[in-house]
Amino acid sequence: MTGFEPARPQDKVIILKRVPVFASCTDEQLHLIADRTRLVEYKKGECIYREGDAADAFYIVSSGRLRIFSQASGEEKTMAVLHNGDSFGEISLLTGETHSATVQALNDALVLQLQKKDFDEVINRIPSLVLYLSRVLSKRLRTREMGGEFSEATIAAVYSAAKGVGRTSFTIALAATLKRETGHEVIVVDFSAAGEGLERLYAFAQAPHLQRESLIGLSAEEAFRAAVCDHPLDFSVLFASELLAASGGEQAIAPLLSFLTNRFHYILIDLPVEVNPGVLKALTQADLMYLVTDAQEEHVIRTNALIHQLQSSINAIEQRMKVVLNMVGQEGKLLPLAEVKQQLRLSVHVTLPYVVSLSGQLTPEELARLLESRASPYTMTVRRIAREMGGLLVGLALGSGAALGLAHVGVLKVIERENIPIDIIAGSSIGAFIGGLWAAGYSAAQLEQMALRFKNPWDVRRLFIFDFSIPLFSILLGIAAGMLLGLAAGPWTGLLFGVIVCVSFGLVLGPLAGGPIKGSQLMVKLREDFAGKTFEDTWLPLKVVASNPVAREEIVFESGSIAEAVRASVSIPGIFKPVMYQGKMCLDGGVANPIPVSVLKRAGAHHVIAVNVFPSSSELAKHRQELQRRRAERDAQLATRSLPFRLFFRIRQELLRTISPMVFDVIMRSMQAMEYQIAEVSCREADITLRPTVPGSHWLEFFNPEPFIRRGEEVALQHLPELKRIARMRSVDNAQHGQVG
């Protein structure tokens, strides 16, 4: 264990902002906490604390992975794996008990540590933390007896400000998908008002309702067994609308939910539209809240008012509230998506894509058929929500590397072929280009065909060779020089001289103006490939990374035009003219974050697959040895040839040596050497790093894509068991029986 401080206090604040506990804190409060923490490094295998140790600090993971496990029963049992932004140790501090588990570093890790006395001072000075921590404590205590690995129950409320926005259909779809993705038991508690006919939506013509009197007269177990129903989509349903309708019924909500957490891993609460004490009580008990609305103007206005009402009624509910915009079956006069997002007080967490429905809302039969289609945009969106709730979100980080990054296509081919679920994708430079196309709807096979179109080296070079950045000053200078000489020597001589002056000064001043290549031809090609698509049009969340060298920061694009974001991410310093975005200079994303694992972590990915195409130093050294061997063989063969041939060959070699390496090659290889070092650090946070490297290949070798794509496939197949483990994939037979494989 080594203690040290980051270079700037802001580094701690950035880490703290990722932690859910501190999500509602102001910048002033975050600096207060940062001043009282210290950064501690733990080597792989070191223990932060052991089971039975006294609690003396609160911990936050800055980088690396930690494993929580217990040996209380004599058998080692893993309880959780922590990643950056996760916090731990608070329960023992709050209860005064010794630690109930051991925490060990799975790889080198950095951890922020807040000593007990400082922890007590912080929660006393920031009252909002007390409420959040009390909720965490309540949640942990109520599930302690459940046993098993990763057994903590989650209560999620589904609510809406108006009827007819698809709240119940979303609840059913989420429940069915949660069971299928996680294999854990799921129950929906329907508190919707009696008489709304929602039993039909749950595929029951008539169903028993849980009565408050039955809870009093019978044991909780007997009352539960008499009222619970099994849904055809393999989850349980409990109708409890009378519980809210009865006088004082809200007092039974907390005991009921506590009872259910001992039997189910996920409890979804379908709440009525009304705001009453029972609804507020249920929302207070929930760990998550999905607020469903559609794009009708009246419903958006109501949702906005409801958000304001809940914010004033329930403390710190913003940390738990997620807005779901339902576009299923929506036709007619609707607000544009951008306007909906602008009007709402909270950002839209997810948009359920449009699905044709004869009734305007999904019937049970339509919903069941839709969920059977695993490739439908609706099903994939709901699956992403379920995997997020289940702690299963898998992110794919595609790194930079110019032509070396064509290996990403081979990796994607295996991911598609093996149906490995990817929930979010981020890329830098060539990784942004390939990842963006994949997220925009191109298949891996289509990406391979696009790469093969550049078999002719001229097809790549024509994007740059006639796209030189000639500053306006050079043009004006050329016109002035041409006109002056034209007066003395004639118009044609003046025109020729003006062009020569313009081009000459342009070639000199172009690199001084940010880069000799303007990038307009590349932009035309990107707009053609992405066909005007925006980040909102992708089938999974996409993050494109660029860098701002002035502020030494990364810039993450996640809205607007994908083509413009990719153009910024591929702007190689010293070669391409930088892109200006919101007053910031944007260059190649590889400069700041060549493999954006941290971007995915901040976006909520629980597990990350990183693809690093940069050859290691040992691989390059081995390649150089092979080149030396081949050179020796060639020299031996050359000695047997005629003198004129040997002379011609030597002259050719000398000519090549005088112009090699070219300045572009020096810039790019220097960049890749730097990016390799940064990438190695970034990949430490990934669950697995694929390294489809092709040592000795050239960064501009787009005209020879096959070796890169083939290598990507080979490496992905070699690590296929690990990829499936990270994605928590289950076999079809096990999935049908709800068992974890």
Side-chain angles (χ1 to χ4, degrees):
M1 179 182 73
T2 306
F4 65 97
E5 292 299 311
R8 300 180 300 171
Q10 290 88 339
D11 294 340
K12 291 182 181 179
V13 174
I14 292 172
I15 296 169
L16 293 173
K17 283 182 177 179
R18 303 177 192 169
V19 184
V21 177
F22 305 123
S24 62
C25 292
T26 64
D27 286 344
E28 183 180 353
Q29 291 171 336
L30 289 173
H31 278 92
L32 169 72
I33 300 167
D35 290 341
R36 286 157 177 76
T37 59
R38 70 187 188 109
L39 199 59
V40 182
E41 182 181 22
Y42 291 90
K43 297 296 183 183
K44 180 178 180 179
E46 279 192 89
C47 289
I48 288 77
Y49 57 70
R50 296 185 180 277
E51 192 171 352
D53 288 350
D56 60 357
F58 172 63
Y59 304 89
I60 302 162
V61 183
S62 171
S63 67
R65 294 181 298 140
L66 307 177
R67 181 172 70 107
I68 301 179
F69 65 93
S70 174
Q71 295 177 314
S73 59
E75 180 181 350
E76 185 173 291
K77 181 184 295 183
T78 297
M79 301 166 66
V81 174
L82 304 176
H83 302 264
N84 72 319
D86 291 334
S87 59
F88 59 100
E90 68 273 23
I91 301 303
S92 297
L93 287 176
L94 293 170
T95 61
E97 300 175 354
T98 58
H99 291 299
S100 58
T102 300
V103 181
Q104 184 184 46
L106 286 177
N107 53 6
D108 293 353
L110 293 176
V111 178
L112 275 180
Q113 189 179 83
L114 184 65
Q115 293 297 322
K116 185 179 186 306
K117 61 181 180 60
D118 296 317
F119 177 81
D120 294 338
E121 180 188 354
V122 165
I123 62 174
N124 286 331
R125 295 181 62 173
I126 308 176
S128 62
L129 294 182
V130 178
L131 177 63
Y132 184 92
L133 291 170
S134 65
R135 288 179 49 77
V136 173
L137 177 61
S138 173
K139 185 178 178 183
R140 298 279 176 85
L141 291 178
R142 75 177 180 231
T143 59
R144 181 173 288 181
E145 297 178 359
M146 290 181 66
E149 298 186 2
F150 304 92
S151 60
E152 190 171 294
T154 298
I155 300 173
V158 185
Y159 197 27
S160 62
K163 297 178 182 179
V165 298
R167 182 192 71 243
T168 299
S169 297
F170 170 69
T171 305
I172 296 170
L174 182 58
T177 309
L178 269 171
K179 179 60 183 292
R180 184 171 61 194
E181 291 296 318
T182 68
H184 293 302
E185 294 301 317
V186 181
I187 187 169
V188 173
V189 182
D190 176 32
F191 284 117
S192 299
E196 288 188 1
L198 294 180
E199 292 93 338
R200 181 187 61 81
L201 293 177
Y202 282 105
F204 300 111
Q206 189 174 3
H209 282 249
L210 184 66
Q211 307 287 337
R212 186 168 185 268
E213 291 75 15
S214 63
L215 285 175
I216 298 173
L218 302 172
S219 70
E221 185 69 37
E222 291 174 319
F224 167 75
R225 290 185 180 279
V228 72
C229 305
D230 293 327
H231 194 278
L233 293 177
D234 202 22
F235 60 88
S236 301
V237 182
L238 183 64
F239 293 97
S241 58
E242 279 81 356
L243 207 60
L244 290 185
S247 176
E250 70 273 6
Q251 297 177 8
I253 292 177
L256 171 64
L257 295 177
S258 180
F259 169 81
L260 294 176
T261 57
N262 290 319
R263 287 154 181 78
F264 295 90
H265 205 96
Y266 299 102
I267 300 100
L268 304 184
I269 311 171
D270 188 357
L271 292 169
V273 170
E274 295 78 12
V275 179
N276 56 45
V279 169
L280 293 176
K281 183 69 173 179
L283 291 175
T284 304
Q285 296 298 309
D287 305 305
L288 290 171
M289 174 187 164
Y290 293 103
L291 186 58
V292 183
T293 185
D294 58 21
Q296 293 186 35
E297 185 174 8
E298 179 187 354
H299 294 166
V300 173
I301 293 172
R302 285 190 182 185
T303 301
N304 204 23
L306 177 60
I307 292 172
H308 176 74
Q309 185 176 1
L310 294 176
Q311 288 173 333
S312 60
S313 303
I314 304 175
N315 292 329
I317 195 170
E318 299 92 340
Q319 301 174 23
R320 298 177 277 138
M321 192 188 306
K322 300 178 184 293
V323 177
V324 177
L325 180 58
N326 184 22
M327 303 301 292
V328 175
Q330 294 295 307
E331 294 179 338
K333 189 176 180 181
L334 303 174
L335 290 176
L337 183 60
E339 190 173 339
V340 172
K341 294 182 176 181
Q342 185 177 1
Q343 285 198 19
L344 290 174
R345 291 175 180 268
L346 293 178
S347 61
V348 174
H349 179 66
V350 69
T351 300
L352 298 176
Y354 175 77
V355 176
V356 177
S357 174
L358 297 177
S359 62
Q361 295 183 17
L362 290 175
T363 64
E365 296 77 17
E366 288 175 331
L367 184 60
R369 286 196 299 270
L370 187 60
L371 294 177
E372 287 177 4
S373 175
R374 300 293 293 270
S376 74
Y378 178 87
T379 304
M380 288 193 293
T381 303
V382 175
R383 183 182 70 173
R384 198 156 53 245
I385 301 171
R387 290 173 63 81
E388 179 183 35
M389 189 186 299
L392 301 175
L393 279 183
V394 175
L396 178 63
L398 301 182
S400 57
L404 284 62
L406 292 171
H408 296 323
V409 176
V411 173
L412 291 175
K413 287 179 68 176
V414 174
I415 286 174
E416 281 188 9
R417 190 164 59 239
E418 300 296 332
N419 294 315
I420 295 171
I422 300 298
D423 303 295
I424 183 170
I425 188 168
S428 290
S429 196
I430 183 67
F433 176 61
I434 293 175
L437 288 172
W438 195 58
Y442 286 88
S443 68
Q446 289 174 312
L447 293 178
E448 184 176 23
Q449 289 303 312
M450 290 176 67
L452 292 174
R453 292 175 195 162
F454 288 95
K455 291 284 289 181
N456 185 345
W458 171 251
D459 290 335
V460 177
R461 291 166 182 162
R462 69 183 176 85
L463 295 175
F464 316 118
I465 200 166
F466 296 124
D467 195 25
F468 289 114
S469 175
I470 300 179
L472 179 61
F473 175 77
S474 301
I475 298 174
L476 296 176
L477 188 63
I479 293 173
M483 290 178 64
L484 289 174
L485 187 62
L487 293 174
W492 291 109
T493 304
L495 178 62
L496 179 61
F497 182 70
V499 170
I500 293 173
V501 170
C502 177
V503 173
S504 300
F505 275 87
L507 291 174
V508 173
L509 296 178
L512 300 179
I517 298 176
K518 187 165 52 176
S520 58
Q521 293 294 327
L522 176 62
M523 192 67 219
V524 169
K525 184 70 172 66
L526 290 174
R527 286 191 176 127
E528 177 187 324
D529 290 338
F530 286 102
K533 288 195 174 183
T534 66
F535 284 81
E536 289 73 21
D537 299 323
T538 58
W539 66 271
L540 82 170
L542 168 69
K543 313 288 181 183
V544 170
V545 179
S547 61
N548 177 10
V550 177
R552 298 180 185 176
E553 64 180 1
E554 67 181 23
I555 297 174
V556 180
F557 292 84
E558 46 196 355
S559 64
S561 167
I562 303 176
E564 292 179 7
V566 172
R567 166 64 180 90
S569 185
V570 301
S571 300
I572 303 169
I575 298 179
F576 282 98
K577 194 174 182 66
V579 173
M580 298 305 295
Y581 171 73
Q582 296 182 351
K584 298 179 179 180
M585 180 191 296
C586 294
L587 287 173
D588 196 304
V591 173
N593 197 346
I595 304 180
V597 176
S598 58
V599 173
L600 293 172
K601 290 287 188 176
R602 291 198 300 271
H606 303 98
H607 310 284
V608 175
I609 301 167
V611 185
N612 185 355
V613 299
F614 295 116
S616 65
S617 300
S618 59
E619 287 176 317
L620 292 176
K622 185 176 180 180
H623 176 71
R624 283 195 301 271
Q625 291 175 359
E626 177 65 17
L627 287 180
Q628 290 174 357
R629 185 187 65 79
R630 292 179 184 176
R631 191 176 295 115
E633 290 180 353
R634 185 195 62 199
D635 290 343
Q637 292 177 353
L638 187 63
T640 63
R641 306 298 294 269
S642 64
L643 179 62
F645 183 88
R646 294 201 305 271
L647 183 61
F648 172 78
F649 184 83
R650 294 300 182 190
I651 293 173
R652 176 177 174 273
Q653 289 296 102
E654 286 301 321
L655 286 173
L656 291 175
R657 191 174 293 116
T658 57
I659 62 171
S660 179
M662 296 183 69
V663 63
F664 288 171
D665 203 39
V666 172
I667 292 173
M668 194 63 189
R669 291 191 183 275
S670 300
M671 256 191 65
Q672 290 191 343
M674 173 195 68
E675 290 177 23
Y676 168 74
Q677 299 297 333
I678 303 174
E680 288 298 302
V681 176
S682 298
C683 288
R684 293 176 187 172
E685 292 188 55
D687 294 75
I688 181 174
T689 301
L690 304 181
R691 300 179 182 274
T693 58
V694 184
S697 55
H698 194 275
W699 62 274
L700 200 55
E701 207 171 329
F702 289 97
F703 54 83
N704 187 27
E706 290 97 333
F708 301 106
I709 297 174
R710 185 168 57 249
R711 184 60 180 154
E713 283 191 83
E714 292 171 354
V715 172
L717 287 172
Q718 290 170 6
H719 293 86
L720 189 57
E722 296 171 78
L723 293 175
K724 289 187 174 183
R725 176 185 57 79
I726 290 169
R728 304 275 185 88
M729 293 183 65
R730 298 178 291 142
S731 67
V732 175
D733 292 337
N734 284 345
Q736 291 174 344
H737 292 86
Q739 299 170 345
V740 178

